[in-house]
């Protein structure tokens, strides 16, 4: 199936739109996504020699963007970043305040959620192989912002920043991507079955 192709009987849009939209529902989804990323950030494993811990954040960020769509995904990550900088202790390890060395990753979260949401709206979360590409693109954007920021903020060279802010996380990202490649298409399959099973009320 080509991205964006409408298939008769199959829901379109992103997962969050399957059961309709309203202002209240969007607010709940946005706040829920920000909270989910904050919860995923508490899965925090320090990496020796790096200010960037291994967390579940990137997985939650890209997944939230894909499920909510570009605008709601980006807003949810903006809320996450701003609230954490303002004092909500939901950054990695229960910390708060703007993290000088890793602030670029937070900016990357906003952009990655928007990108994932846009790709999902085009159908990139419907099949495992496409979902792998969606996840890879989202993660790559996070690192594209986070690693140079890390280098600048700490004064380390770019090669050192890659060693401290990218390389240790690649294996985990592969595993997260494979998990997402099962979860997102699986969720759409369930939605499709429900839509097919629903009675046709047209007259």
């Amino acid at each position: 199936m080509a991205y964006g192709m409408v298939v008769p009987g199959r829901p379109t849009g992103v997962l969050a739109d399957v059961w309709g939209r309203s202002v209240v529902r969007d607010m709940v989804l946005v706040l829920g996504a920000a909270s989910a990323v904050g919860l995923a950030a508490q899965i925090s494993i320090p990496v020796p020699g790096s200010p960037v811990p291994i967390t579940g954040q990137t997985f939650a960020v890209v997944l939230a963007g894909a499920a909510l769509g570009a605008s709601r995904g980006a807003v949810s990550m903006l809320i996450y970043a701003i609230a954490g900088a303002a004092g909500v202790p939901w950054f990695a390890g229960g910390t708060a305040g703007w993290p000088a060395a890793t602030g670029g990753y937070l900016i990357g979260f906003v952009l990655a959620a928007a990108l994932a949401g846009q790709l999902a709206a085009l159908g990139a979360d419907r099949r495992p192989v496409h979902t792998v590409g969606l996840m890879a693109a989202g993660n790559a954007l996070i690192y594209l912002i986070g690693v140079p920021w890390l280098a600048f903020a700490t004064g380390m060279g770019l090669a050192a920043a890659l060693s401290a802010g990218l390389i240790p996380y690649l294996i985990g990202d592969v595993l997260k991507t494979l998990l997402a490649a099962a979860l997102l298409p699986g969720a759409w399959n369930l939605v499709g079955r429900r839509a097919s099973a629903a009675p046709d009320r047209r007259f």
Side-chain angles (χ1 to χ4, degrees):
M1 181 182 71
Y3 288 177
M5 181 181 296
V6 176
V7 177
R10 181 174 296 179
T12 58
V14 295
L15 280 167
D17 293 334
V18 169
W19 292 279
R21 293 193 62 170
S22 70
V23 173
V24 173
R25 181 174 296 175
D26 283 353
M27 290 177 60
V28 170
L29 289 172
V30 164
L31 293 175
S35 300
V37 174
L39 183 62
Q42 307 318 305
I43 305 170
S44 180
I45 303 172
V47 176
S50 173
V52 185
I54 294 173
T55 71
Q57 284 173 293
T58 55
F59 175 73
V61 166
V62 182
L63 207 65
L68 269 61
S71 58
R72 286 170 297 187
V75 169
S76 69
M77 293 307 103
L78 273 173
I79 291 173
Y80 173 69
I82 292 172
V88 177
W90 59 5
F91 288 160
T95 59
W98 184 257
T102 58
Y105 293 93
L106 293 177
I107 295 173
F109 288 175
V110 178
L111 300 177
L115 176 61
Q118 184 60 43
L119 292 175
L122 295 173
D125 61 342
R126 305 296 181 97
R127 297 174 61 184
V129 65
H130 294 160
T131 304
V132 167
L134 180 155
M135 292 294 294
N139 282 319
L141 188 52
I142 292 171
Y143 290 123
L144 187 63
I145 306 298
V147 172
W149 182 294
L150 177 65
F152 178 79
T154 61
M156 66 175 67
L158 184 57
L162 287 169
S163 296
L166 169 63
I167 294 173
Y169 315 95
L170 293 179
I171 294 177
D173 286 341
V174 169
L175 296 176
K176 295 171 191 175
T177 295
L178 293 176
L179 179 58
L183 288 176
L184 288 171
W188 276 114
N189 284 336
L190 289 175
V191 168
R193 290 196 200 103
R194 289 174 62 91
S196 299
D200 191 344
R201 294 185 174 86
R202 291 175 298 177
F203 295 96

